[in-house]
Amino acid sequence: MTAVRDFEGLGALVTGGASGIGAAVARLLLERGARVAVLDRECAGAPAGALALAADVTDDTAVREAVDAAAAEFGALHTVVSNAGIGAIGTVADNTDEEWRRVLDVNVLGMVRTARHALPHLRRSAVDRPGLVSVTHTCSIAATAGLPQRALYSASKGAVLSLTLAMAADHVREGIRVNCVNPGTADTPWVGRLLDQAEDPVAERAALEARQPMGRLVGADEVAAAVVHLASPASAAVTGTAFAVDGGMQGLRLRPAT
């Protein structure tokens, strides 16, 4: 079967693109014909063929320089995937103010900084190719479902969902689409680190799998497919949408297995 090349000639930037979901997104965009820049603190895992840009999303100057470098290298920027993020465990009382600020700085303000500096480039691209210009955020099932021991993380992802909707409204008439993907618990390096911290990693993994109706963790490639679909020309009429990739966790209420 001939590979779809619907991103041919388009420039894309993926934050947090050197591992996990971000790396899967970058690989798929490359396969689909995009020229891809990966913005990450450590770029060693960036897919072959991607432009590696070392930057921390908490550093506004570094983000601006990386975004401008990607646009200059590609001649234009059409697609931004804001994926960089970190996790947090605990109830509302379990994390210090400092930790709250750190997580929100990465998970929310990191997306704000990326969008702020990408928008001038996206606006220029949208003049000639409206509907093909997009921003896609990696959000989470934690934005729409109450999960235990995830107060800080859930608050950050709830903000990402609201940010997505507000940006979609702000930029729709400029020809820029803004959407987000809400993964369930995904089989990524971050989740692996969480499991390593558990008293019984095997039991904790089984519990995470059991809370998703499909009975397994979501794959990074499955989330990437949703991200790339939202960014693709096939979704030219889609904006302000939260796309759940969660094994049915948000919408399904199954009877206990017998």
Side-chain angles (χ1 to χ4, degrees):
M1 182 181 294
T2 303
V4 176
R5 303 281 291 182
D6 49 349
F7 283 84
E8 198 77 57
L10 303 185
L13 173 73
V14 182
T15 72
S19 66
I21 291 170
V25 170
R27 284 192 298 270
L28 186 54
L29 285 169
L30 286 164
E31 290 172 11
R32 301 271 284 265
R35 302 182 69 188
V36 179
V38 163
L39 186 162
D40 211 317
R41 290 191 306 170
E42 301 289 340
C43 293
L51 173 67
L53 300 168
D56 190 322
V57 293
T58 65
D59 183 334
D60 187 65
T61 298
V63 172
R64 174 179 53 78
E65 291 176 350
V67 170
D68 289 349
E73 177 70 19
F74 302 152
L77 196 59
H78 303 86
T79 296
V80 171
V81 178
S82 244
N83 169 76
I86 55 177
I89 300 175
T91 70
V92 72
D94 290 333
N95 289 289
T96 64
D97 284 3
E98 181 181 6
E99 183 66 359
W100 275 81
R101 293 188 186 100
R102 185 180 78 92
V103 173
L104 292 170
D105 195 15
V106 175
N107 290 5
V108 183
L109 288 173
M111 292 186 177
V112 171
R113 295 181 187 102
T114 302
R116 176 191 297 142
H117 297 303
L119 277 168
H121 303 291
L122 296 175
R123 289 186 181 111
R124 283 192 286 273
S125 296
V127 171
D128 298 321
R129 308 188 79 164
L132 296 186
V133 176
S134 67
V135 176
T136 308
H137 296 142
T138 300
C139 191
S140 172
I141 184 66
T144 57
L147 305 180
Q149 295 289 315
R150 294 292 186 274
L152 170 50
Y153 182 72
S154 296
S156 74
K157 292 302 184 177
V160 170
L161 177 58
S162 294
L163 176 65
T164 299
L165 296 174
M167 285 180 58
D170 284 338
H171 304 297
V172 63
R173 290 179 178 169
E174 297 177 321
I176 300 169
R177 301 183 297 105
V178 186
N179 298 288
C180 67
V181 169
N182 291 359
T185 304
D187 201 354
T188 64
W190 174 64
V191 170
R193 289 191 291 272
L194 288 183
L195 292 174
D196 289 341
Q197 297 170 21
E199 291 184 10
D200 186 340
V202 174
E204 182 64 16
R205 184 181 183 93
L208 292 177
E209 291 174 339
R211 77 179 183 181
Q212 297 187 156
M214 284 186 173
R216 63 174 177 84
L217 301 187
V218 174
D221 288 338
E222 293 173 314
V223 181
V227 170
V228 172
H229 172 69
L230 287 173
S232 76
S235 295
V238 179
T239 194
T241 291
F243 191 148
V245 187
D246 60 5
M249 187 174 174
Q250 172 59 36
L252 304 185
R253 301 293 181 271
L254 305 187
R255 297 176 65 181
T258 56

